[in-house]
Amino acid sequence: MNKPGASIVVFACNWDGLSCIEVAAQKGLSYPASVKIVRVSCLSRVHSGLILKAFELGANGVMLLGCSRSGCHFEIESGLIEQEYEKTRNILGLLGLREKKLALIRLPGGDGPGFVKQVNDFIAGIEQTEPAAAQ
Amino acid sequence: MQNIEHEIKDTNIRLCLDCGKCTVVCPIAQHDPAFNPRLIAQRRLSQNSRGSRDDTIWSCLSCYMCMERCNYHVKFPSFIHALRAESLSEGTQIQCNHGGAIQAMMRLMARGDLQQKRLGWLPKDVELSSQSDTLFFVGCAPYFDVLFSDLGVNALEGVKGALKLLNRAQVPFNIIANERCCGRDLLLQGDRKGFTVLAKANMDEFTRHGVKKIITNCPECYYTLKVNYPNMLGSTGIQVMHLTQVVAPLVQGGKLSLGKLEKRVTYQDPCTLGRCSRIFNEPRQVLSAVAGLKLVEMEQSREKALCCGSNSWLQCGAVNRQIQKQRFAQAEISGAEILVTACPKCQIHLRCAQKSSDGKIARLEILDLASLAAQSLD
């Protein structure tokens, strides 16, 4: 499974998001090595500048991985990430880059298999529309 | 580095008499004692400046106020741009506003294989002349409206207004789907390489479409296409005009008649259009052509106009907010209901100040000049 593939940046929140990735690692579930994890304290910390920077630096896709809306560790989910996600999707659309290159995924804590499935589906979607990304 | 030294020499900075008039009129220096144009020049020109880094150069607004006042016409903004290019080449990391989103967007636009989908907003009733050699350069307005949607920015209203005015005046023009950002902000930040890539990509598009004349609504695009492109790439052979330069003679000559709007407005001279490009009269002529519109001037206007407070998406903070507060106070005193500007970036910065104010900033309506003039046609 560890073939080189589309270069993906995952911004994972420090709580449920990261726990999914840790569980995936503990269970020995594999996902492509081209997936780079960036840990952030909360997804609300991620803004369009960071996402666009990842694309500027050559990422083929960016995944935002965080807690479920009601499960935010900071009790009140501000909805900021939704705003930034929509905004960035629209910018990508204007740039003619496919909006599919950006995903916002919310998973319950410790869902390792869920994360691996989501990231693999995401990569498959990108490689299907953008075969050059697979190399 | 040889080039930078040469460029610095060309700014006439060595004629600086150390009189400090630049610093007295500088809007940043008035609120931030750490920023001192006179001392920036002095430090850079002193013999032992090599190797020392001047962190204050990033605060300059490129508002051209210093140049207006300087007896020797020292091109201080160009001097700052050269220092920034020098600093960037030495590896300085700059702090960009909005998380660097705009810079990242500009660099993404520099990609060769880019196929933008940026014309979704184009109203169906706009008449384009695909055979025309005149191009209306839209600029980054579609991107601004998305990025600053939370501020209620509608730069595209200005563009739509401009197109409506041109259609009404029967000026033929075309729009191209894959124009890039003009790159001005990268140039002002000192990223010459990034700017050149964008400029070349745009020039290729212009050549491919046989463009002979360009009309812009954004003053920054206007100046960049007119002055910076030929400077960096050699003569382009393209005539560049700001929308007000096209519309003002038409309304004055009776070829285009605007409608009626009973409003009291004041006009914010964008620095790049006013002091930098010397276009002061045309916007006012367009406004005066709207029947019922009363134009009142702010305390600082025309050559002395105060900047909207921020530039090239760098260093926006408490000092910039002070400048904006000062500008809004002047607008309020003028008694205007609407603050009209001809620059989408002024609109963004002023709306931002209004939104994040503590209620002490006037709740004036902010409108683009072209959209206001087009409103009168309805």
Side-chain angles (χ1 to χ4, degrees):
Chain A
M1 192 64 197
N2 279 343
K3 64 176 174 65
S7 172
I8 306 294
V9 174
V10 178
F11 287 104
C13 94
N14 190 33
W15 308 97
D16 290 0
L18 197 72
S19 76
C20 296
I21 298 169
E22 282 175 341
V23 168
Q26 281 162 10
K27 287 191 174 172
L29 305 173
S30 67
Y31 53 87
S34 55
V35 176
K36 310 276 188 303
I37 312 289
V38 180
R39 186 172 80 166
V40 290
S41 53
C42 176
L43 270 197
S44 297
R45 164 72 181 83
V46 180
H47 49 72
S48 48
L50 286 174
I51 303 170
L52 291 171
K53 185 77 187 173
F55 285 113
E56 183 200 323
L57 294 176
N60 299 113
V62 173
M63 180 185 267
L64 310 167
L65 181 66
C67 313
S68 59
R69 282 215 71 156
S70 56
C72 179
H73 183 82
F74 298 98
E75 292 184 1
I76 304 163
E77 156 68 76
S78 59
L80 269 176
I81 189 62
E82 257 103 15
Q83 274 179 32
E84 289 298 310
Y85 168 71
E86 275 307 320
K87 203 190 265 187
T88 317
R89 256 171 62 88
N90 290 336
I91 294 282
L92 291 176
L94 286 170
L95 283 168
L97 302 171
R98 291 170 197 278
E99 291 97 326
K100 275 189 188 160
K101 285 161 83 79
L102 179 65
L104 173 60
I105 307 290
R106 295 180 176 280
L107 288 174
D111 187 3
F115 163 68
V116 173
K117 184 181 179 312
Q118 291 283 1
V119 86
N120 281 332
D121 288 352
F122 183 53
I123 293 174
I126 289 174
E127 289 183 348
Q128 200 178 10
T129 50
E130 209 180 326
Q135 273 102 53
Chain B
M1 217 37 61
Q2 196 71 39
N3 284 342
I4 298 274
E5 283 305 326
H6 193 72
E7 211 178 303
I8 287 176
K9 201 177 158 209
D10 281 349
T11 62
N12 288 346
I13 196 78
R14 284 177 204 281
L15 297 181
C16 173
L17 288 180
D18 218 12
C19 70
K21 279 173 183 156
C22 50
T23 309
V24 173
V25 293
C26 172
I28 292 281
Q30 281 176 27
H31 300 284
D32 178 10
F35 182 77
N36 189 316
R38 180 180 68 85
L39 290 181
I40 290 176
Q42 206 184 63
R43 280 198 292 266
R44 181 58 177 76
L45 296 177
S46 66
Q47 288 299 316
N48 53 4
S49 73
R50 296 221 166 270
S52 63
R53 188 179 283 179
D54 192 337
D55 289 330
T56 64
I57 56 171
W58 307 100
S59 303
C60 172
L61 293 173
S62 300
C63 73
Y64 291 79
M65 194 75 123
C66 46
M67 216 172 130
E68 195 68 36
R69 193 68 191 82
C70 179
N71 290 1
Y72 281 87
H73 304 293
V74 171
K75 296 173 194 150
F76 191 78
S78 307
F79 172 65
I80 285 283
H81 303 155
L83 292 189
R84 286 177 178 176
E86 182 184 52
S87 186
L88 217 59
S89 69
E90 288 165 359
T92 304
Q93 293 280 326
I94 50 174
Q95 217 183 0
C96 301
N97 294 343
H98 311 289
I102 297 159
Q103 284 82 357
M105 208 175 74
M106 290 164 85
R107 294 192 176 111
L108 281 168
M109 272 194 229
R111 289 185 174 183
D113 56 348
L114 190 78
Q115 286 301 325
Q116 296 176 85
K117 290 178 187 158
R118 44 175 293 154
L119 294 180
W121 54 271
L122 194 66
K124 286 197 174 62
D125 56 350
V126 169
E127 286 170 38
L128 299 179
S129 316
S130 53
Q131 298 305 315
S132 171
D133 58 4
T134 302
L135 169 75
F136 184 86
F137 192 82
V138 175
C140 291
Y143 290 92
F144 289 155
D145 281 12
V146 173
L147 269 178
F148 301 106
S149 50
D150 49 338
L151 298 177
V153 168
N154 51 12
L156 276 175
E157 281 306 308
V159 174
K160 287 178 200 165
L163 301 185
K164 195 171 169 183
L165 289 171
L166 292 175
N167 268 176
R168 188 62 71 98
Q170 294 181 331
V171 177
F173 63 88
N174 197 9
I175 285 182
I176 51 177
N178 212 19
E179 64 167 63
R180 264 75 163 190
C181 166
C182 67
R184 178 164 182 81
D185 295 315
L186 288 184
L187 183 69
L188 262 51
Q189 284 168 21
D191 182 0
R192 303 281 166 86
K193 209 172 139 197
F195 169 76
T196 313
V197 174
L198 283 171
K200 280 188 177 152
N202 271 330
M203 278 312 298
D204 286 348
E205 286 284 314
F206 299 159
T207 315
R208 210 157 60 79
H209 287 86
V211 174
K212 297 270 187 308
K213 184 177 167 185
I214 296 178
I215 303 172
T216 77
N217 189 39
C218 171
E220 305 248 301
C221 298
Y222 165 75
Y223 188 79
T224 311
L225 296 173
K226 192 180 168 83
V227 179
N228 299 129
Y229 276 29
N231 280 352
M232 290 296 245
L233 308 173
S235 173
T236 59
I238 298 175
Q239 185 194 7
V240 185
M241 290 182 91
H242 187 256
L243 177 86
T244 54
Q245 288 181 308
V246 178
V247 174
L250 294 172
V251 290
Q252 290 218 314
K255 287 184 184 148
L256 172 68
S257 46
L258 300 178
K260 196 176 175 190
L261 269 182
E262 296 283 346
K263 297 277 182 195
R264 211 174 146 85
V265 303
T266 187
Y267 174 66
Q268 159 78 15
D269 286 276
C271 304
T272 314
L273 192 66
R275 276 186 296 271
C276 183
S277 308
R278 316 308 296 178
I279 300 179
F280 296 109
N281 293 329
E282 288 85 343
R284 290 177 168 81
Q285 285 162 0
V286 175
L287 288 173
S288 317
V290 178
L293 202 75
K294 172 111 179 80
L295 175 66
V296 285
E297 295 289 358
M298 287 182 264
E299 183 191 333
Q300 283 178 276
S301 67
R302 303 179 72 97
E303 289 87 349
K304 289 179 185 163
L306 191 59
C307 175
C308 68
S310 189
N311 186 269
S312 51
W313 317 110
L314 287 173
Q315 301 262 344
C316 185
V319 172
N320 307 73
R321 195 61 90 223
Q322 284 300 323
I323 299 171
Q324 289 158 344
K325 277 188 179 171
Q326 199 180 338
R327 194 53 167 163
F328 272 111
Q330 292 178 359
E332 199 175 13
I333 291 169
S334 76
E337 305 159 71
I338 304 174
L339 178 63
V340 183
T341 170
C343 177
K345 291 177 187 171
C346 290
Q347 192 195 131
I348 293 167
H349 299 139
L350 294 173
R351 276 185 196 269
C352 175
Q354 256 185 343
K355 178 139 195 255
S356 54
S357 81
D358 41 13
K360 288 179 187 152
I361 282 185
R363 310 305 306 175
L364 290 165
E365 196 180 343
I366 301 169
L367 274 183
D368 188 277
L369 188 137
S371 78
L372 182 86
Q375 262 180 36
S376 77
L377 293 175
D378 293 332

